Amino acid sequence: MADKIRLGIIGANILRGWAPRSHLPAVVASSEFELTAVCTTRQESAEECRQKFGARLAFDDYQKMLAHPDIDAVVVSLRVPSHYEPTVAALNAGKHVYTEWPLGRTTAEAKEMADLAQAMGVRNMVGLQARANPGILYTKDLVDSGYVGEVMSCNMSRIEGGVLERTSDRTWTKDMDMGANTLTISCGHSIDALRFVVGDFTHVSSVVSTQAKEWVESDTKLMVDVTSPDNILVSGRLANGGVCSVHVANNPWAGSGFHIEIYGREGTLLVSSERAPNTHTVRLQGVREGNTLADLEVPEKYTFVLEGMPQGEPYNVGQMYYQFGQGISSGESCQPDFNTAVELHRFIDNIREASELGREVAVNGGK
């Protein structure tokens, strides 16, 4: 393998999507990876990306990119329904793979990809970037080391605005079966951060609701019917005995951002952000055996990237690239991997099932 890991990105259109906002600037600033190739569905747009971000190669067919001998690892950053085929192709080509979250459109797709990755013996990572956020990493260690003592209760909320209107190139998410909606993405990322910090649920009750049943396409002025949920409420019990409540929503106007509140027998922790834990920094406050919260500074050891890594959306992706690179170089597993994704897919299935049945359900068949 070359001095740097040679990376190809599938879904590298510079005009839209997640890659130009996060992956492309992150890999350019990475010390572990070389941006070797970019791939879109048109050679013209691939060439535009190659020139803007300094890649060596540009492709309009991911199969041709996967066949190139200079590619060690691949990123799949596409719409959720398009994750499966290029991820499977990359795994079958023996490449290390980083695929964005949600891993698959369904849990079955995610499980098939996870099983294939294990069979091929390659490193694999899923884009649950909150697990690489320095503030979330520090919060997890504080809880694990007993800062709050026994976790008695916790609450997580992520409330955003802007549900009623979007451009026509984004209304494909109106269909719940596409796998990209408030339940899988906003709730998926946020509740994953919560579970990463305080541990798994054993039982959940939930309401999964579509409050805005129509959207306006801002460019065409058409009204489109919506089946994707925009409000998710979850209550349940944690494996450690604590109780927990969750509200994740995309409402018409200004939201309150992201919050995790953790209340223990010996202290309290509060994590907050105006945006999301997977895409932006968080503020951490805490107190032990007292009633006045104070800001807690995140130690430098939780920062893996170089100073040149752009802040905002590329930052946690850059943190993920460091972990991905370490896994590839060492041959050890890197987290979060495809098996982590399958666990989260199954938990989201439990949330949906509890809402449909109108009763509490055991998580992943647990007791």
Side-chain angles (χ1 to χ4, degrees):
M1 187 179 292
D3 291 340
K4 284 192 173 186
I5 301 164
R6 298 167 298 184
L7 187 73
I9 296 182
I10 301 172
N13 191 314
I14 63 172
L15 300 178
R16 64 179 64 88
W18 179 237
R21 291 157 41 201
S22 60
H23 282 280
L24 288 161
V27 73
V28 168
S30 166
S31 60
E32 290 77 35
F33 290 89
E34 171 197 276
L35 181 60
T36 303
V38 292
C39 181
T40 69
T41 57
R42 296 185 305 110
Q43 190 63 38
E44 294 83 0
S45 59
E47 182 61 26
E48 288 175 351
C49 183
R50 186 195 70 77
Q51 293 182 14
K52 180 173 181 177
F53 289 97
R56 288 199 285 117
L57 305 167
F59 295 90
D60 62 0
D61 182 342
Y62 67 78
Q63 296 285 8
K64 293 179 181 177
M65 189 185 81
L66 295 176
H68 198 283
D70 288 352
I71 304 299
D72 303 311
V74 171
V75 166
V76 178
S77 181
L78 299 165
R79 291 179 174 181
V80 177
S82 299
H83 284 181
Y84 176 81
E85 291 185 0
T87 298
V88 168
L91 292 171
N92 281 324
K95 309 299 183 184
H96 308 291
V97 185
Y98 176 149
T99 299
E100 269 303 332
W101 170 262
L103 177 58
R105 187 178 58 84
T106 64
T107 302
E109 282 189 356
K111 181 66 165 60
E112 185 177 340
M113 287 183 271
D115 289 347
L116 180 59
Q118 183 171 350
M120 295 301 296
V122 296
R123 306 286 73 75
N124 54 95
M125 177 166 272
V126 67
L128 291 168
Q129 290 93 356
R131 291 178 179 241
N133 185 318
I136 298 295
L137 288 167
Y138 184 36
T139 305
K140 174 178 172 56
D141 279 357
L142 286 173
V143 172
D144 289 347
S145 64
Y147 182 93
V148 300
E150 175 192 356
V151 175
M152 302 182 74
S153 66
C154 56
N155 173 69
M156 186 273 284
S157 65
R158 177 177 170 185
I159 313 295
E160 299 177 327
V163 70
L164 298 179
E165 182 176 291
R166 59 196 65 199
T167 55
S168 58
D169 65 336
R170 294 183 58 234
T171 54
W172 64 275
T173 60
K174 68 185 185 297
D175 184 351
M176 186 172 183
D177 291 338
M178 291 293 99
N181 51 65
T182 301
L183 174 60
T184 58
I185 296 181
S186 296
C187 183
H189 279 291
S190 300
I191 211 164
D192 182 66
L194 175 69
R195 291 167 62 246
F196 180 63
V197 170
V198 300
D200 291 330
F201 287 72
T202 59
H203 293 78
V204 292
S205 301
S206 65
V207 174
V208 178
S209 179
T210 305
Q211 296 298 104
K213 294 179 172 56
E214 290 183 322
W215 295 342
V216 178
E217 291 185 347
S218 57
D219 49 345
T220 69
K221 305 305 178 184
L222 295 175
M223 298 289 294
V224 296
D225 293 332
V226 177
T227 61
S228 288
D230 51 40
N231 270 262
I232 295 92
L233 295 93
V234 179
S235 61
R237 188 170 294 276
L238 301 172
N240 61 22
V243 294
C244 188
S245 64
V246 170
H247 184 198
V248 178
N250 194 341
N251 288 320
W253 304 110
S256 57
F258 170 80
H259 299 84
I260 293 178
E261 302 165 359
I262 305 169
Y263 301 101
R265 192 171 293 277
E266 298 175 24
T268 296
L269 286 168
L270 173 63
V271 183
S272 60
S273 175
E274 294 182 359
R275 303 290 296 277
N278 51 302
T279 60
H280 287 79
T281 58
V282 297
R283 179 187 182 188
L284 179 58
Q285 297 169 281
V287 62
R288 298 197 75 225
E289 298 182 344
N291 293 307
T292 303
L293 291 167
D295 285 321
L296 301 178
E297 184 176 352
V298 178
E300 291 184 3
K301 70 177 184 178
Y302 297 101
T303 298
F304 310 140
V305 296
L306 300 177
E307 290 185 4
M309 183 63 62
Q311 294 292 322
E313 291 171 324
Y315 195 86
N316 290 337
V317 174
Q319 292 268 105
M320 295 280 281
Y321 274 129
Y322 173 83
Q323 294 171 305
F324 190 36
Q326 290 295 301
I328 293 171
S329 299
S330 68
E332 299 179 357
S333 65
C334 45
Q335 295 294 326
D337 63 8
F338 285 6
N339 287 327
T340 306
V342 172
E343 292 175 2
L344 182 56
H345 272 284
R346 286 175 171 163
F347 182 50
I348 290 172
D349 290 344
N350 293 142
I351 293 172
R352 186 183 292 116
E353 178 189 13
S355 180
E356 291 172 350
L357 296 176
R359 62 172 174 82
E360 181 182 86
V361 302
V363 172
N364 295 335
K367 298 182 179 179

